[in-house]
Amino acid sequence: MRAVVLLDEQQIIGDGRYCVLLKVLEVKRSRKFPGGIKVRFVMIDLLIGKPILIVDNHAPYGFHSHTRLPDCKQTREALAVSNYQEALEYFLQNIREIIREK
């Protein structure tokens, strides 16, 4: 099965400071993606040129966020979500909070 693109968007937000990448693929069910969905949501701070928030999913973690970026790439926080739409809402809420803080 070839991956089917369900969502593929890129936006510049926060008065041009951030780039947001949203990608959702329907993939063949596997050990790495048992639900058949591959998610990667990324917020990049263009001033430093590095991601500052990532939400993705893969075994053995399921849906999780990397919130201690860019310094601590391996820290993951499990998300209490059951699908990519809920993970996207979590991601967008975090983006709103980050922009409010800056």
Side-chain angles (χ1 to χ4, degrees), residues 51-80:
I52 58 170
L53 176 64
I54 297 174
V55 169
D56 61 348
N57 72 313
H58 53 80
Y61 307 105
F63 288 102
H64 60 278
S65 64
H66 299 263
T67 56
R68 295 188 183 173
L69 298 172
D71 301 321
C72 191
K73 296 176 184 177
Q74 298 306 315
T75 300
R76 295 175 177 89
E77 178 182 316
L79 301 181

Side-chain angles (χ1 to χ4, degrees), residues 24-44:
V24 179
L25 302 173
E26 184 177 8
V27 297
K28 182 178 180 180
R29 291 179 187 266
S30 64
R31 284 186 187 174
K32 188 168 186 177
F33 301 106
I37 296 291
K38 179 179 180 181
V39 168
R40 183 157 170 87
F41 306 139
V42 182
M43 181 181 197
I44 301 168

Side-chain angles (χ1 to χ4, degrees), residues 2 7-8 12-14 20 26 29 46 48 62 66-67 78 90 95 98 100 102:
R2 295 183 77 164
L7 177 66
D8 188 8
I12 302 297
I13 62 170
V20 174
E26 184 177 8
R29 291 179 187 266
L46 297 173
I48 62 172
H66 299 263
T67 56
Y90 168 88
I95 285 175
I98 290 168
R100 268 192 301 252
K102 299 293 178 187

Side-chain angles (χ1 to χ4, degrees), residues 78-97:
L79 301 181
V81 300
S82 58
N83 57 54
Y84 79 85
Q85 293 94 340
E86 291 174 0
L88 178 57
E89 183 53 42
Y90 168 88
F91 180 75
L92 295 175
Q93 179 61 37
N94 275 268
I95 285 175
R96 289 189 285 272
E97 290 173 15

